[in-house]
Amino acid sequence: MKHKDIPLNERIIFALDVGSLEKAKKWVDRLGAHINFFKVGLQLATAEGWFPVIKMIMDSGHKVMCDMKIFDVPETVKLVLGQLKNSGVTFATVHGNDSILRAAVEEKNGVKILAVTVLTSSGEEEMKEMGSTMRIEDLVLYRARRALEIGCDGVISSGLEASRLRQDLGDNFLVVTPGIRPGQNIDEIKDDDQKRISTAKEAIRNGADYVVVGRPISTAKDPIAVVELMQREIQEALDD
């Protein structure tokens, strides 16, 4: 497996899971010397709107991942992606069937489209409740293959499935991995809702290009120490 040439300070995408632009800016200012990539999700966008947050991050000199998880009729999907034109956003996530993904690809305007495979908060039981008869690993592979055939630039996948994706689908696409939890000597996350988790080192070693990290950093006593620890682990995985 060949690792992509991505700067170490972009391998971790910090999730700005906060409720105000002010709090988001404090995190960008605090982590900006160590992390160059920030994720905007539904909580922050609902509170402040997508574009004020995007502008704040871009004005600070950093990259943006819009975790929109777009799921709507194809024409609306196109209109949403059209709004991101010339925004400078690097990644946008889409969560849907073939027609939804195809609409996003047709209107991506330079934004890289990442298809959500299976949420990392879902386990086998949750998928059965939703009517799936496939094992999660097989479902992730199936959805990833379809997304890449349609023209998506990459997928959102847990670190547990990344190795299978690389083995079966190759290296010519992006794998972005949430559900990242710290390795040794870091406090445990309380009330954790993630099911399919991995460490940053495991995810990168398995084939992930980027890891999305929120609470392990934001709730730590020393957030910078956690970032530096994860970056060392990532570099070790890249060097293996």
Side-chain angles (χ1 to χ4, degrees):
M1 179 179 62
K2 183 178 179 181
H3 293 291
K4 297 178 182 62
D5 185 17
I6 299 169
L8 187 60
N9 70 342
E10 293 181 11
R11 292 278 184 176
I12 296 174
I13 303 175
F14 179 69
L16 290 168
D17 295 333
V18 294
S20 72
L21 184 63
E22 180 183 3
K23 290 179 180 178
K25 189 175 188 310
K26 285 181 178 179
W27 277 113
V28 171
D29 291 343
R30 186 174 187 179
L31 301 178
H34 304 270
I35 290 178
N36 196 39
F37 220 138
F38 294 87
K39 180 180 83 73
V40 183
L42 295 177
Q43 178 191 6
L44 182 54
T46 301
E48 299 285 358
W50 291 101
F51 291 101
V53 181
I54 291 169
K55 184 177 186 302
M56 179 274 291
I57 298 170
M58 297 289 296
D59 287 350
S60 298
H62 304 297
K63 292 186 174 182
V64 181
M65 172 180 174
C66 277
D67 192 18
M68 293 177 158
K69 297 185 179 71
I70 306 169
F71 184 93
D72 214 312
V73 297
E75 188 59 31
T76 299
V77 173
K78 288 183 179 182
L79 292 172
V80 171
L81 266 298
Q83 293 297 316
L84 292 179
K85 186 176 182 180
N86 300 323
S87 67
V89 166
T90 301
F91 297 152
T93 60
V94 180
H95 193 180
N97 58 23
D98 287 7
S99 63
I100 292 173
L101 297 179
R102 192 171 292 111
V105 168
E106 289 174 0
E107 197 66 31
K108 62 182 182 177
N109 295 309
V111 178
K112 288 183 170 60
I113 302 299
L114 303 177
V116 178
T117 54
V118 176
L119 297 175
T120 49
S121 59
S122 296
E124 297 287 354
E125 288 302 315
E126 286 84 358
M127 297 312 297
K128 288 179 182 177
E129 290 173 5
M130 295 175 65
S132 174
T133 59
M134 301 174 69
R135 293 188 308 125
I136 284 182
E137 181 180 340
D138 296 327
L139 182 59
V140 168
L141 178 62
Y142 171 78
R143 289 180 173 175
R145 179 178 281 116
R146 294 293 301 150
L148 297 177
E149 289 172 351
I150 288 167
C152 292
D153 299 280
V155 298
I156 306 293
S157 160
S158 89
L160 303 180
E161 294 97 36
S163 181
R164 175 86 181 275
L165 294 179
R166 290 301 182 201
Q167 177 183 333
D168 286 31
L169 302 178
D171 297 326
N172 195 30
F173 65 99
L174 297 169
V175 175
V176 179
T177 296
I180 297 298
R181 292 297 175 258
Q184 58 187 357
N185 300 326
I186 301 295
D187 294 340
E188 294 292 327
I189 302 297
K190 294 181 179 179
D191 301 321
D192 200 341
D193 57 358
Q194 297 284 11
K195 299 288 181 62
R196 302 186 341 276
I197 64 175
S198 64
T199 66
K201 184 174 184 177
E202 289 168 343
I204 297 295
R205 179 180 285 159
N206 286 346
D209 299 299
Y210 301 87
V211 293
V212 179
V213 188
R215 283 172 290 176
I217 295 172
S218 65
T219 63
K221 295 176 182 177
D222 187 343
I224 301 300
V226 176
V227 171
E228 292 176 340
L229 172 62
M230 287 188 172
Q231 288 176 333
R232 287 195 298 271
E233 291 179 344
I234 289 170
Q235 189 61 60
E236 289 172 3
L238 294 170
D239 292 340
D240 284 348

